[in-house]
Amino acid sequence: MDDHRGVLVVGELGQSRLATVTRELLGAGRRLADELGEPLGLLLIGDAVSGCDTEASALGVDTLYVAEGPHLAAYNGDVYMEIAGTVAGETAAAVILMGHTTAGREMGPRLAARLGGSLFTDCVDLALDAARWLVATRPVYGGNAMAGFVSKTLPQIATVRPKAMPETAACTGKNMSTVAVSTDSTLSRIELSEVVVEEAAGPRIEDAGVVVAVGAGVRQEDFGLVCDLAQVLGGAVGGTRLPYEEGWIPASSQIGQTGKMITPDLYVAVGISGAPQHMAGCTGAKRIVAINNDPEAHIFKMADYGIVADYKEALPVLIEKIREMTGA
Amino acid sequence: MNIIVCIKQILDPEIPPAKFKVDTVAKKVVCPEGIPLVVSPYDEQAVEAALRIKESRSDAKLTALTLGGAGAKDAIKHVLSMGVDEGIIVNDDAFEGSDAFGTAYILSKAIEKLGDYGLVLCGRQAADWDAGQVGPVLAEYLGIPVVTVAKEVAAVDGKVTVKQVLADGYRVLHMAMPALVTVSSEIGQARLPSGKGIVMAARKQVTVWSSQDLGCDPGRIGSGAARAELAELFVPSQDRKSEIITGKDVAEAAGNLAGVLRREGAI
Ligand SMILES: Cc1cc2nc3c(=O)[nH]c(=O)nc-3n(C[C@H](O)[C@H](O)[C@H](O)COP(=O)(O)OP(=O)(O)OC[C@H]3O[C@@H](n4cnc5c(N)ncnc54)[C@H](O)[C@@H]3O)c2cc1C
């Protein structure tokens, strides 16, 4: 190809370590870099990022690019973009990866527009073809279909869906070099005034091992039954669009394409029809159980186990049985 | 102040999953017969955001812009009947097969031709290819700032204030206009066309611009300029058990379900 070389991951920070999605990206990035026989770079932008170097090195990063400063504490589209654009341009990476997150959704397209590269968003699989072009697989049509794209242009930029790819296990640290990135030319046209956290009480649906989801088939006065089931299972409560619009659950508990993508061990859908835009959020669940009174409901095709029943009859018995079994 | 809303006409994303078919050879989705195309729901929500701004300031004029062929006029008429003031279609055989970059380039040429604008609104993604690329790329081509996935947009004086949806809440951002915002469904249901709106929309002329009208660079549009190729399109296979647990009554079925889950160690 031309003088583009290597894989660059634009990372994000979690609680005093790399964000989970960044660890997943480094797994995919290392694999692609090895196939190309080229180096893997990681760019970290933030207030205090140098503490992540041991972790980065253990995950197989060859070069860590550090953009550090108090003004970089919160993601700012313009400032982060300027830094990522400079590093991507100077390193001339052939493949640039980032999470399909708030930052990635903005930076991916903007970087591709600036650098003239190809772009694949919300990818669930990445590979290289025989000519070493990037092959990106992503859900389309609300999850009804999957599409595979082959890049024809460099650099090749992909945003990757969180939890779609496995986290890498740490390897025996590399000889990683660290490069400090200038953060001077950081003019911003976007000003942040407030961050508001809106979360349901109890475990977060993206972390919970069990999620019980409420759908439009449940009447508001019965929402408590769904919560009781979640409680005896030690799980979290999520839902489809209507319960969110009606204010029973916060936006952060909506599951699906516009809501969250979750991967619990057990997902119980109560009064949910199984629309693709909703199921897009829970296809990664290990087990799906559906309770719906319509034997034709699409959800039964998408579930491992189902009972055809009115939730009003089924839930109290189910809750009671689980209590007996588990002593919860 | 002029507000431009970019809209796309697509296959109704809420058709029953059983009606969704793909031609894997042609790599195309087969539109089921008798099901009309719709304005992509996120774009309708962008129109809704624009209409709410118009309600808050009398100088706001809304223009809908769409890149499209035969059915584009229906899409424009639909949003005119929701309350949009003007509609523009950009259409040309040379646009056929444009990717997100070609599309954003064409839209940027049309917006530059319109000239004076304060705000450009797009849906967070088109609900067919779900890529979410055109909005931010368009902002880059126009040289204006962008915020994606908004649940509220206000435009007061020369400033736009956006509530951007985050994984665990939202944040409030401000930009000087002109600026671009992509809108998400968290903004709430888009209004339905009113009877009066439908009558007014029927009377309105819709402007159509060609590639030549816009002075498009032929090297940046159409399938030839696409930066990637669609290699395959398929309906993913389903490997769930799909087992219905029964019993002599609901209570027994529910008990059996609990038993199965217990045996598998799921609870
Ligand atoms: C672009 C786009 C994005 C979207 N994003 C999302 C998203 O992120 N998340 C999301 O959830 N939706 C999303 N949607 C909406 C989605 O398409 C569906 O409309 C929605 O998921 C349906 O929710 P539901 O299953 O709760 O309701 P319904 O489809 O109305 O289903 C209700 C079900 O309850 C059953 N039922 C009724 N009464 C009972 C009873 N007494 N006992 C048991 N069962 C009963 C019915 O048989 C039915 O199957 C999106 C749509 C679009 C177009």
Side-chain angles (χ1 to χ4, degrees):
Chain A
M1 295 186 197
D2 63 1
D3 52 356
H4 284 87
R5 247 180 81 76
V7 178
L8 176 70
V9 169
V10 181
E12 291 182 48
L13 299 168
Q15 295 292 344
S16 69
R17 67 193 292 249
L18 297 176
T20 307
V21 66
T22 299
R23 299 174 63 87
E24 293 160 0
L25 287 169
L26 288 174
R30 188 66 257 173
R31 181 171 49 80
L32 294 172
D34 287 343
E35 265 180 68
L36 289 165
E38 293 173 9
L40 171 67
L42 170 65
L43 167 62
L44 290 177
I45 309 173
D47 188 1
V49 301
S50 4
C52 291
D53 51 358
T54 326
E55 198 186 355
S57 152
L59 292 172
V61 173
D62 296 302
T63 310
L64 176 65
Y65 300 90
V66 174
E68 218 168 20
H71 64 301
L72 301 174
Y75 164 69
N76 174 297
D78 276 350
V79 176
Y80 274 47
M81 176 59 210
E82 209 53 55
I83 294 169
T86 305
V87 173
E90 280 174 7
T91 60
V95 177
I96 303 169
L97 306 179
M98 55 195 93
H100 194 68
T101 57
T102 299
R105 270 197 287 252
E106 293 183 352
M107 279 202 280
R110 293 180 67 188
L111 265 182
R114 283 204 194 172
L115 302 172
S118 58
L119 172 66
F120 312 95
T121 41
D122 202 13
C123 299
V124 295
D125 191 40
L126 296 172
L128 296 172
D129 74 359
R132 316 211 306 171
W133 287 108
L134 188 69
V135 181
T137 306
R138 48 179 306 262
V140 294
Y141 283 86
N144 270 307
M146 295 291 270
F149 293 91
V150 183
S151 171
K152 299 200 289 186
T153 314
L154 292 167
Q156 312 167 99
I157 301 170
T159 70
V160 173
R161 176 176 288 197
K163 295 191 172 177
M165 294 178 191
E167 263 187 63
T168 24
C171 60
T172 48
K174 287 220 160 202
N175 249 342
M176 184 179 79
S177 57
T178 302
V179 177
V181 179
S182 154
T183 61
D184 301 342
S185 64
T186 45
L187 190 73
S188 174
R189 302 162 294 180
I190 306 165
E191 187 196 322
L192 169 68
S193 67
E194 202 187 350
V195 180
V196 179
V197 177
E198 279 179 331
E199 280 197 318
R204 288 151 41 113
I205 54 170
E206 57 268 52
D207 304 328
V210 178
V211 173
V212 181
V214 58
V218 176
R219 298 166 68 100
Q220 179 159 17
E221 62 262 33
D222 298 325
F223 179 52
L225 267 181
V226 175
C227 299
D228 290 349
L229 178 60
Q231 201 237 320
V232 296
L233 289 169
V237 176
T240 58
R241 179 177 281 183
L242 184 103
Y244 155 64
E245 283 176 351
E246 296 290 317
W248 315 350
I249 57 169
S252 56
S253 301
Q254 190 191 172
I255 296 157
Q257 184 189 58
T258 13
K260 285 212 174 121
M261 311 276 172
I262 58 167
T263 53
D265 290 331
L266 175 63
Y267 181 72
V268 185
V270 186
I272 291 176
S273 62
Q277 293 89 358
H278 174 72
M279 299 313 288
C282 60
T283 43
K286 204 158 161 199
R287 264 186 210 79
I288 297 182
V289 170
I291 299 166
N292 195 303
N293 63 357
D294 174 7
E296 301 298 322
H298 183 68
I299 185 94
F300 290 126
K301 296 200 181 72
M302 312 292 290
D304 296 294
Y305 300 113
I307 46 179
V308 180
D310 188 327
Y311 71 85
K312 270 192 229 157
E313 287 179 62
L315 287 193
V317 191
L318 198 54
I319 291 166
E320 200 43 51
K321 293 276 177 206
I322 294 168
R323 268 209 187 106
E324 279 168 24
M325 282 172 178
T326 62
Chain B
M1 183 195 53
N2 289 316
I3 302 177
I4 298 161
V5 191
C6 301
I7 63 168
K8 182 183 183 187
Q9 192 186 41
I10 62 163
L11 172 68
D12 187 346
E14 295 193 90
I15 58 167
K19 284 219 157 92
F20 184 87
K21 297 263 151 52
V22 162
D23 179 340
T24 51
V25 178
K27 292 177 267 190
K28 280 201 169 112
V29 170
V30 183
C31 285
E33 246 173 88
I35 294 191
L37 300 178
V38 298
V39 174
S40 177
Y42 298 120
D43 298 349
E44 266 190 317
Q45 281 140 358
V47 170
E48 176 62 33
L51 290 166
R52 289 182 195 170
I53 293 171
K54 193 180 165 178
E55 283 161 358
S56 76
R57 55 188 288 171
S58 53
D59 69 336
K61 184 183 149 210
L62 313 190
T63 303
L65 173 62
T66 191
L67 168 66
K73 202 164 176 184
D74 294 335
I76 290 288
K77 289 281 174 184
H78 175 74
V79 298
L80 288 175
S81 67
M82 286 170 73
V84 168
D85 300 299
E86 264 176 38
I88 294 168
I89 296 172
V90 287
N91 186 26
D92 201 300
D93 288 345
F95 295 159
E96 200 62 40
S98 295
D99 66 5
F101 301 96
T103 302
Y105 169 71
I106 296 161
L107 295 175
S108 75
K109 296 298 276 183
I111 291 170
E112 278 161 6
K113 188 176 165 77
L114 276 165
D116 173 39
Y117 64 93
L119 188 59
V120 180
L121 297 173
C122 301
R124 62 177 278 173
Q125 65 204 52
D128 51 1
W129 289 94
D130 289 325
Q133 301 181 356
V134 168
V137 172
L138 176 58
E140 280 293 311
Y141 289 167
L142 291 170
I144 61 175
V146 56
V147 170
T148 58
V149 191
K151 66 169 204 162
E152 211 176 290
V153 190
V156 179
D157 301 326
K159 252 189 166 178
V160 49
T161 297
V162 184
K163 285 188 183 165
Q164 178 180 48
V165 180
L166 303 176
D168 56 0
Y170 65 91
R171 55 183 204 156
V172 186
L173 298 162
H174 312 270
M175 298 180 279
M177 293 196 270
L180 189 146
V181 178
T182 78
V183 176
S184 187
S185 48
E186 283 85 352
I187 200 158
Q189 299 255 343
R191 69 196 64 191
L192 296 169
S194 66
K196 183 168 154 245
I198 293 169
V199 174
M200 303 252 290
R203 288 204 205 110
K204 281 195 178 133
Q205 285 293 326
V206 178
T207 308
V208 182
W209 286 334
S210 68
S211 181
Q212 205 180 353
D213 293 331
L214 299 179
C216 287
D217 172 355
R220 295 184 67 177
I221 58 175
S223 51
R227 298 181 186 184
E229 202 174 307
L230 180 62
E232 57 172 349
L233 183 68
F234 59 96
V235 174
S237 65
Q238 246 292 87
D239 51 7
R240 298 281 172 188
K241 291 196 190 74
S242 297
E243 191 178 319
I244 300 288
I245 311 272
T246 54
K248 69 176 184 324
D249 55 20
V250 171
E252 193 178 285
N256 290 343
L257 173 64
V260 168
L261 293 175
R262 184 72 172 170
R263 270 198 301 285
E264 290 192 356
I267 55 178

